Every structure is written in structure tokens, then in C-alpha cells.
């Protein structure tokens, strides 16, 4: 018997801001209600919940709402739920939900990612960081050398790319410039000011070669995607978007022992799951918590050869909103805010449904790729409107 | 400014305290010879548990680096160099560390480096300086 397919039905997003005062559970509720309304579903029809990375006790702003909590808070009778960090990457939570509906564990799964990092920094009394006096786990291999931020780890991959393949800052700039240009057409985006190449080149360095504009910013928001089973679509009122393939491969779970980031294993593995190829893709939404990660996804997924990412995006025409491969049409995390992975799938669905408004790409887009992660974290979804 | 302190356990103690006797140590499999980092009691190549810490020469080559300009916490002095050092004699093992003892502009890909330990309490931080 053929397994039912998995689809994304309703999607929703709360206000995106910094230092918001609305409770993070209520931001999640805002996104849930929007997604339910779009799908024509009621909360009583939801029987699954999936999130990444689960409630974060070490640093509450990173993930202030867990799957257990949402089940209980919204009165959901769940036949399946999960909220784990040890999964391929942020969008691995969506992939897990797809597996749940394909195996009959649930029919309609709320997948959510709620971030509250800007608010938590502003109100540490309510959202404390309980980081201890010592570092352990994988942090012990970075923090003692003051490689505190993921920026430091990604920078080493970016610097090596420049050294080995000749990537330039002017080429890399096209990630941030495209993000920021697209964010100007997204009324919900966090950063709505133009960015020029001159501003980029003059920006202060965070950690070479990454400058201020190569990095996303702490954000408060919640994003929801409902994953529905193919045999439950008669209950869904919006255009379903099929999860045509998904992948999340890793060869070494480490930020410094691996020659390549996990994206480079994940990209080829995605195409093994489908008859679609890169030529069929109408738009890409690539994780850009740091700009270089997005550049690496172009290579990893085979849009260009490894090492050619800089040439591929040079000048920015190809990946512009009206280019041949529109990229991060909502502004990515650099423009729209650090939605932490889920924004890319949310936007892919928006574009495939033709609901992008001022930023809607031309033609009749039917196939999109959404990714999340960097370093040892990688998840890719191929989304299609049949 | 004191460095963040790793919490010592049975796996990582040989690494973080080897500097007390001037040794940069990594776990090594006695059955197949592979080095294992981060330190764990199993060889990821042959699954042997016949694994023990072993000193290496303490030299290496800069595989990649970044000049960090952002003060991630109050009091952190910038700029400084974070590098990924390929460890001589331990194929496939890299250490993220700092390059010290030279201006940040003097660091480059392929530079030969040698370990130098910085003690803070029980911990001997393996930092690297350029040789020659
Ligand atoms: Zn072995």
C-alpha cells in the first residue's frame, strides 16, 4: 500500500519584532490561529505538535515554548508530539511531522518555532540565562578560546572558501544585499532600510570575513506550519503544498572536525528522494543566519559546483526577485528577522501559493527548496504545488 | 580577562590538564591507530574500546582562521585570532584555538604553529604561536 503523502496546509506568523512584550506563548497562539484559519481547521482537528529545539532551559529566550507546553496550553489531544534539538536542524521538526502523518501517527500536526531572544535580553528577570560557570559538551571546544558565537565557527568555513576558491566579499555581499532589498517589499520584515554595497564594504567586522550585515539579529516571533496527511486533505481549505522530498544528513557532528558542513551531504541526498532536479526549482529560501551559510546551500544542492558559489551569485541579478532563481524573497533572516529556520519554509509556501503580494515572484512557481542549518546542522525540504 | 572554563570529566581531563607536563594529548585507538577527538572511550573508525590518551608533538598547521573583532562579553579584549589548527601526527584531528604571540595581521593559512599552554586554575589551555 502506498504511504500517504505529507503536505503543508495552513501557515501562520506572529508579529516580528524586537523586545516585544506579548507573551511568547501568545505569539505562538497568534501564529497558530492564523494557520488554523488559513487551513480551515479547528484546534480540535489538530492531533500532533512538533517543534525545534523544545523548551530551552539554559537560555529561555532561544526557545521559550515547548511542545509539551503547547499541547497542554491549547488543549490539544495529541496522538504524536516531539520537540527535540537532536534532529537534523530546525526544519527537521517539519520533516519529523511529515513522517508522523505518513505513518498514520497523526493527521494534522502544528509545527512551530518561537523565538524571544531580543525580549529575553531586555528582560532577563523574566527570561534568565542560566549558563553556568563552566562550559561542557561541544561548547568546551570553542568557548575556552573565546570562539563564543556561531559567527566565529562559520567565519572559519567562509575564510577557507575565500582562500581555496577565491570567494570575495563583494560576491558574498549579494546575500545580504538581496535579503535587504527583498525585506523592503515584506511589510512584516524586521529590517526595512535599504543596504548598499558601499555600506556593506564599509561595515565593521564581527569576525573576518563576516561583517555586521552578514549576521542576523535577535528577534521575537513565532512561525507555524501545519503538516497534514494526504488522506486528510478533504478537511483542508487552502492549497496544499506537498513535501516532495526531505533530507538531513551529517557525516561528523562537529563544528570543527568536519571538512565540510552537513549541508554538503544533505543537498545531494535531497535529490535522491525525488524525480525533480535543480532545473525544476522556481525559488530558493536558504538559511542565512550568517550569509555564508546561504552561499553554501547553492553549492550543496548543486545549483553550481562546489567552490563556484561566489561566481554564481556575483552581481546579484540571478538571485534577485525578478532573476532566474529568486532567493530569500521575504528577506531571509538577515532582512526579515531571526525566525530560526521556519521562515524559509513559510516563505516557500507563500510563494508557491502566489500570496507574496508586493514580493510575489513572476510566473507560476510550483517548486521551491527551503533549508535550515549550518555546520553540523542541515535540513532541506523540497516543496511542490501539484 | 579569565577564559571560560571547561568542566573536567574522565574523558576530557587528559586533554585539558596535559599542559601541566607540557603535553598536548589526544585519545588514540591502540588497535587501528586512529586519533579520536573530541575524546571518547571508543574509536569511531573500528569501534574498539582500547583507547587511551597519547601525547603528540604539539605542532600543527593553520587550516583556517578568523580575526575576531566582536567583544562577546564585557572585558574581552579584541581583536584576536581564532584558528582551526590541523594537528601534526594526528591525521584528521583539528583544534579550534587562538594564535598568540604575534600581531593578528601576521597570521595566514598554512602557517606552521606550535602549542603553548596558558594555565588558569586546573586548566592548561592549548594555544598556538607561529614557529620560525
Ligand atoms: Zn580503531
Amino acid at each position: 500500500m502506498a504511504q500517504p503523502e505529507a503536505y503543508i496546509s495552513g501557515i501562520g506568523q506572529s508579529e516580528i519584532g524586537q523586545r516585544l512584550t506579548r507573551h511568547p506563548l501568545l505569539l505562538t497562539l497568534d501564529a497558530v490561529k492564523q494557520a488554523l484559519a488559513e487551513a480551515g481547521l479547528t484546534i480540535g482537528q489538530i492531533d500532533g505538535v512538533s517543534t525545534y529545539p523544545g523548551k530551552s532551559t539554559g537560555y529561555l529566550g532561544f526557545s521559550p515554548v515547548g511542545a509539551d507546553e503547547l499541547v497542554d496550553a491549547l488543549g490539544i489531544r495529541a496522538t504524536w508530539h516531539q520537540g527535540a534539538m537532536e534532529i537534523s536542524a530546525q526544519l527537521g521538526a517539519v520533516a519529523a511531522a511529515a513522517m508522523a502523518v505518513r505513518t498514520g501517527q497523526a493527521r494534522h500536526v502544528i509545527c512551530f518555532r518561537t523565538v524571544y531572544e531580543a525580549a529575553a535580553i531586555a528582560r532577563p528577570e523574566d527570561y534568565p540565562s542560566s549558563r553556568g560557570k563552566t562550559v561542557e559538551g561541544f561548547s568546551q571546544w570553542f568557548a575556552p578560546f573565546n570562539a563564543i558565537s556561531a559567527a566565529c565557527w562559520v567565519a572559519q568555513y567562509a575564510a577557507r572558501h575565500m582562500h581555496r576558491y577565491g570567494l570575495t566579499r563583494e560576491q558574498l555581499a549579494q546575500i545580504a544585499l538581496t535579503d535587504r532589498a527583498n525585506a523592503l517589499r515584506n511589510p512584516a520584515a524586521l529590517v526595512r532600510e535599504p543596504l548598499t554595497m558601499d555600506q556593506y564594504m564599509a561595515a565593521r567586522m564581527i569576525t573576518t570575513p563576516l561583517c555586521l550585515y552578514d549576521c542576523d539579529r535577535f528577534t521575537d516571533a513565532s512561525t507555524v506550519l501545519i503538516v497534514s496527511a494526504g488522506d486528510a486533505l478533504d478537511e483542508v481549505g487552502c492549497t496544499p503544498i506537498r513535501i516532495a522530498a526531505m533530507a538531513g544528513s551529517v557525516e561528523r557532528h562537529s563544528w570543527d572536525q568536519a571538512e565540510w558542513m552537513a549541508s554538503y551531504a544533505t543537498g545531494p541526498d535531497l535529490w535522491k528522494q525525488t524525480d525533480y532536479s535543480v532545473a525544476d526549482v522556481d525559488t530558493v529560501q536558504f538559511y542565512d543566519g550568517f550569509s555564508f551559510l546561504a552561499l553554501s546551500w547553492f553549492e550543496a544542492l548543486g545549483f553550481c559546483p562546489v567552490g563556484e558559489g561566489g561566481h554564481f551569485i556575483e552581481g546579484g541579478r540571478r538571485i534577485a526577485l525578478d532573476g532566474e532563481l529568486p532567493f530569500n524573497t521575504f528577506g531571509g533572516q538577515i532582512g526579515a528577522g531571526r525566525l530560526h529556520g521556519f521562515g524559509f519554509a513559510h516563505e516557500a509556501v507563500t510563494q508557491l501559493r502566489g500570496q507574496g503580494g508586493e514580493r510575489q515572484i513572476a510566473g507560476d512557481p510550483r517548486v521551491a527548496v527551503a533549508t535550515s542549518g549550518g555546520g553540523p546542522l542541515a535540513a532541506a525540504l523540497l516543496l511542490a504545488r501539484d | 580577562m579569565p577564559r571560560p572554563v571547561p568542566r573536567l570529566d574522565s574523558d576530557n581531563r587528559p586533554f585539558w590538564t596535559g599542559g601541566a607536563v607540557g603535553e598536548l594529548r589526544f585519545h588514540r585507538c591502540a588497535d587501528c591507530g586512529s586519533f579520536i577527538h573530541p575524546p571518547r572511550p571508543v574509536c569511531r573508525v573500528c569501534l574498539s574500546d582500547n583507547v587511551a590518551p597519547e601525547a603528540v608533538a604539539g605542532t600543527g598547521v593553520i587550516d583556517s582562521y578568523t580575526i575576531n573583532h566582536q567583544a562577546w562579553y564585557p572585558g574581552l579584549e579584541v581583536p584576536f585570532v581564532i584558528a582551526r589548527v590541523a594537528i601534526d601526527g594526528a591525521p584528521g584531528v583539528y583544534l579550534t584555538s587562538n594564535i598568540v604571540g604575534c600581531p593578528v595581521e601576521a597570521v595566514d593559512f598554512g602557517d606552521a604553529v606550535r602549542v603553548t599552554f596558558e594555565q588558569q586554575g586546573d586548566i592548561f589551555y592549548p594555544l598556538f604561536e607561529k614557529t620560525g
Side-chain angles (χ1 to χ4, degrees), chain B residues 28-34 36 42-48 50-51:
Chain B
R28 188 174 195 186
C29 174
D31 288 341
C32 79
S34 299
I36 299 136
V42 58
C43 171
R44 71 185 305 276
V45 175
C46 76
L47 305 190
S48 168
N50 192 8
V51 160

Side-chain angles (χ1 to χ4, degrees), chain A residues 161 165-168 170-172 174 295 298-299 304-305 307-316 318:
Chain A
H161 204 285
Y165 302 114
L167 171 69
T168 66
E170 288 85 346
Q171 291 170 339
L172 184 59
Q174 295 303 335
L295 183 136
F298 284 104
E299 299 182 355
C304 62
E308 293 292 315
H311 289 129
F312 188 77
I313 67 170
E314 188 160 12
R318 178 180 272 134

Side-chain angles (χ1 to χ4, degrees), chain A residues 46 53 108 129 145 209 245 259 270 280 286:
Chain A
I46 298 295
H108 301 288
S129 168
F145 307 102
E259 177 77 2
L270 181 74
D280 299 311
F286 287 163

Side-chain angles (χ1 to χ4, degrees), chain A residues 4-257:
Chain A
E5 299 274 3
Y7 292 82
I8 295 175
S9 56
I11 61 173
Q13 198 158 61
S14 73
E15 177 187 359
I16 299 171
Q18 290 182 314
R19 295 173 295 282
L20 297 184
T21 53
R22 189 161 172 77
H23 193 289
L25 186 56
L26 297 180
L27 293 177
T28 313
L29 177 68
D30 295 341
V32 165
K33 282 185 170 175
Q34 212 180 83
L36 288 172
E38 190 193 24
L41 295 169
T42 65
I43 195 74
Q45 289 168 283
I46 298 295
D47 54 7
V49 172
S50 185
T51 191
Y52 175 98
K55 188 155 184 159
S56 173
T57 51
Y59 170 34
L60 202 47
F62 182 60
S63 182
V65 181
D68 293 345
E69 183 176 16
L70 200 75
V71 166
D72 203 48
L74 303 192
I76 295 167
R77 187 186 179 283
T79 55
W80 178 87
H81 75 291
Q82 76 84 27
M85 188 167 216
E86 295 194 358
I87 200 164
S88 48
Q90 298 87 351
L91 288 174
V94 176
M99 287 187 271
V101 302
R102 291 189 71 168
T103 55
Q105 302 302 302
R107 289 166 65 80
H108 301 288
V109 179
I110 287 176
C111 303
F112 74 99
R113 177 80 182 96
T114 302
V115 289
Y116 213 53
E117 292 178 280
I121 286 172
R123 302 202 303 281
E125 65 282 10
D126 287 337
Y127 298 95
S129 168
S130 65
R131 281 174 176 158
K133 284 195 168 70
T134 59
V135 292
E136 51 196 291
F138 87 99
S139 295
Q140 71 175 294
W141 308 111
F142 299 94
F145 307 102
N146 291 314
I148 305 281
S149 165
C152 308
W153 320 334
V154 173
Q156 304 225 61
Y157 284 106
R160 196 175 52 180
H161 204 285
M162 289 183 165
H163 177 68
R164 190 180 288 181
Y165 302 114
L167 171 69
T168 66
R169 281 196 70 217
E170 288 85 346
Q171 291 170 339
L172 184 59
Q174 295 303 335
I175 300 295
L177 295 186
T178 305
D179 277 338
R180 294 282 296 269
N182 291 342
L184 290 174
R185 292 168 174 259
N186 176 5
L190 183 70
V191 188
R192 304 201 69 213
E193 300 145 17
L195 177 68
T196 68
M197 180 65 92
D198 286 347
Q199 285 174 304
Y200 178 91
M201 294 304 290
R204 73 181 172 86
M205 278 291 158
I206 300 298
T207 186
T208 61
L210 303 179
C211 71
L212 180 65
Y213 299 122
D214 289 310
C215 309
D216 62 6
R217 311 177 186 192
F218 285 159
T219 302
D220 311 322
S222 181
T223 305
V224 163
L225 309 156
I226 299 176
V227 171
S228 295
D231 56 7
L233 290 182
D234 55 346
E235 301 166 23
V236 168
C238 60
T239 304
I241 302 298
R242 186 163 55 92
I243 301 174
M246 51 198 191
S249 308
V250 61
E251 286 163 348
R252 285 217 60 176
H253 211 286
S254 167
W255 276 93
D256 64 359
Q257 299 305 302

Side-chain angles (χ1 to χ4, degrees), chain B residues 2 4-5 9 11-12 20 22 35-36 57 64 71-72 75 84 86 88-89 94 104 123 128:
Chain B
V5 180
D9 60 29
D11 292 327
N12 69 12
F35 283 86
I36 299 136
S64 189
W72 300 109
R84 181 181 190 247
D88 289 345
Y94 297 85
V104 296
I123 307 293
F128 290 83

Side-chain angles (χ1 to χ4, degrees), chain A residues 143-146 148, chain B residues 1-5 71-78 80 98 118-120 125 127:
Chain A
F145 307 102
N146 291 314
I148 305 281
Chain B
M1 198 69 197
R3 292 176 177 270
V5 180
W72 300 109
Y73 53 84
L76 178 61
E77 279 182 46
V78 293
F80 60 92
N98 301 125
E118 182 179 299
Q119 185 184 3
Q120 183 183 303
Y125 295 79
L127 313 180

